[in-house]
Amino acid sequence: MKYSTTDEPELSDLSAKAKNSRLSTFLGKVALSVIAAPLGGYLLGLLLERLWPGEISWSLTLLLLGLIVGLIYLWLWMKRDRWSDRANLSE
């Protein structure tokens, strides 16, 4: 039985982005947004806790803030191509 191209399952946005870009670029963006940003926030929080000790856990706060910023960055990077495709269609 032959399958037509319409029978193939559609790729999710994440897997389509991975397929269309180089793997190293894709993994670099994911690592930067999910690992490096929270880790940087945590290290900055440790420094702030040494400088200004108190009741606020700077390391936990900045770790979560780094994770949120990293995930927003990753989401915007993934949506960038979709927005540029819509702009090209309207022209």
Side-chain angles (χ1 to χ4, degrees):
M1 174 183 259
K2 292 184 179 179
Y3 294 101
S4 67
T5 57
T6 57
D7 292 333
E8 295 178 8
E10 293 184 18
L11 296 174
S12 68
D13 289 339
L14 185 62
S15 60
K17 187 70 178 175
K19 184 178 178 183
N20 292 335
S21 68
R22 291 189 303 173
L23 185 60
S24 62
T25 302
F26 176 73
L27 292 178
K29 295 284 184 178
V30 171
L32 177 69
S33 62
V34 177
I35 297 171
L39 182 62
Y42 177 73
L43 294 175
L44 182 62
L46 286 178
L47 177 67
L48 289 176
E49 285 179 354
R50 286 183 184 216
L51 294 175
W52 296 296
E55 295 181 15
I56 297 174
S57 174
W58 289 107
S59 57
L60 181 60
T61 303
L62 292 178
L63 179 127
L64 291 175
L65 182 65
L67 181 63
I68 290 169
V69 168
L71 290 176
I72 289 172
Y73 171 75
L74 184 62
W75 178 76
L76 289 174
W77 177 72
M78 288 176 55
K79 295 296 180 184
R80 181 185 58 191
D81 285 341
R82 180 175 285 177
W83 291 335
S84 65
D85 289 343
R86 287 181 185 171
N88 291 338
L89 291 175
S90 65
E91 293 177 352

